[in-house]
Amino acid sequence: MKNSKINFNGRNNILFCEENVRLINSSLTFQGNDSVIYLSSNRHDYKLNVTVHHNSVFFAGKNNYFNGVLNAVLSECRHVIIGAEGLFSFDIWVRNADPHLVYECETMQRLNPTKSIFIGEHVWVGQSAMILKGSRIGAGSIIGAMSLVAGKYIPPNTSWGGNPVKLLKEGIFWDGSCVHSWTEEKTKKAQSYQDDRYIFKDKLSDIDYDEIEEKLSSAENAEARIEYLLEVRKKFESQ
């Protein structure tokens, strides 16, 4: 830990860290009971500002790169699941609740339930993007800078941007190499790619996000949620 803090307010909460977890400029806060923050092994530093309330799970898969601090607020017993090998830019917010209540005048029924968020493997999220409740972002996709993703399904290997977010391009993939200091020669060499490792759209996935949410939400306590995450964590690392 460097310039970081962990706050436990409540009962029976678990911060679960695999090997090689380094927190830099981070704040992890449990503000309820029976919740879990699960941080997988990472060759990069974690930069997180995460608050979880009751019966919620924040899961980060292996080797995600955080260029700035990722902000996340988990409310009303719902979850945020992030796959492996993602790239997250500066000033990103992830929130699974509005959080205030909205009702329809005629029926008096609530219109804005809190919903879990799922982000797949190898997803690139641009600067100042906001990802809201119910969003499901497929593997290999790109969310552009300053985009608002609100309850959208983003298919694998697609690029989206805008407020609200709209489809920009299908059938794409991305590589995490940074071009800032490249020479003209290196740029020329990068005009084609040599393998299909980042093409996910044609690969079958055994991830059932509805089942994962049901299992996490129905678990009796934080220990049971950890036990389930240990069973399924490999699914978040490769689709």
Side-chain angles (χ1 to χ4, degrees):
M1 290 174 60
K2 181 178 179 181
N3 193 31
S4 299
K5 59 183 178 180
I6 302 168
N7 305 302
F8 285 94
N9 301 311
R11 303 184 308 276
N12 197 33
N13 298 294
I14 298 175
L15 169 61
F16 190 99
C17 297
E18 296 183 358
E19 294 182 357
N20 303 315
V21 169
R22 299 178 303 278
L23 290 167
I24 306 295
N25 300 327
S26 295
S27 177
L28 307 180
T29 300
F30 293 89
Q31 202 65 39
N33 304 325
D34 289 302
S35 288
V36 171
I37 296 177
Y38 188 115
L39 304 181
S40 300
S41 178
N42 201 332
R43 60 176 176 267
H44 311 292
D45 296 331
Y46 277 101
K47 301 174 184 176
L48 301 172
N49 176 23
V50 175
T51 299
V52 294
H53 293 85
H54 297 289
N55 300 299
S56 294
V57 172
F58 178 90
F59 176 92
K62 287 185 176 181
N63 299 324
N64 285 289
Y65 179 77
F66 301 93
N67 209 0
V69 174
L70 175 73
N71 303 283
V73 180
L74 284 68
S75 308
E76 206 171 9
C77 309
R78 292 297 179 262
H79 319 293
V80 172
I81 305 295
I82 300 173
E85 302 283 347
L87 194 160
F88 297 87
S89 187
F90 298 92
D91 195 31
I92 295 168
W93 279 89
V94 179
R95 301 181 66 113
N96 65 2
D98 285 338
H100 305 295
L101 304 177
V102 179
Y103 294 89
E104 185 176 48
C105 294
E106 183 177 349
T107 66
M108 307 296 284
Q109 297 300 305
R110 185 178 175 187
L111 297 175
N112 64 336
T114 297
K115 298 179 181 179
S116 297
I117 294 169
F118 297 93
I119 301 174
E121 177 185 2
H122 190 68
V123 169
W124 177 10
V125 182
Q127 183 174 348
S128 300
M130 180 170 282
I131 300 171
L132 300 182
K133 61 177 187 172
S135 297
R136 298 190 177 191
I137 301 176
S141 57
I142 300 171
I143 305 299
M146 302 188 72
S147 294
L148 174 64
V149 186
K152 282 280 190 180
Y153 167 65
I154 306 297
N157 291 115
T158 57
S159 177
W160 294 64
N163 182 355
V165 74
K166 296 180 180 179
L167 177 66
L168 301 178
K169 182 73 173 175
E170 295 180 294
I172 59 91
F173 68 92
W174 63 275
D175 180 272
S177 303
C178 183
V179 303
H180 289 325
S181 61
W182 279 19
T183 63
E184 185 175 349
E185 180 182 1
K186 196 163 186 178
T187 297
K188 288 180 179 179
K189 289 182 178 180
Q191 296 311 300
S192 63
Y193 212 76
Q194 302 304 314
D195 61 66
D196 64 352
R197 76 183 80 174
Y198 298 131
I199 299 177
F200 299 92
K201 65 183 181 65
D202 296 325
K203 298 177 182 178
L204 294 176
S205 172
D206 62 350
I207 292 183
D208 185 337
Y209 287 123
D210 292 328
E211 178 183 353
I212 290 170
E213 178 166 15
E214 191 279 327
K215 294 287 188 181
L216 291 177
S217 297
S218 63
E220 293 184 359
N221 50 40
E223 288 88 348
R225 293 185 173 97
I226 288 290
E227 184 176 348
Y228 178 70
L229 287 169
L230 290 172
E231 291 178 7
V232 302
R233 70 189 190 281
K234 290 292 184 183
K235 294 184 178 182
F236 304 131
E237 297 167 14
S238 179
Q239 292 183 312

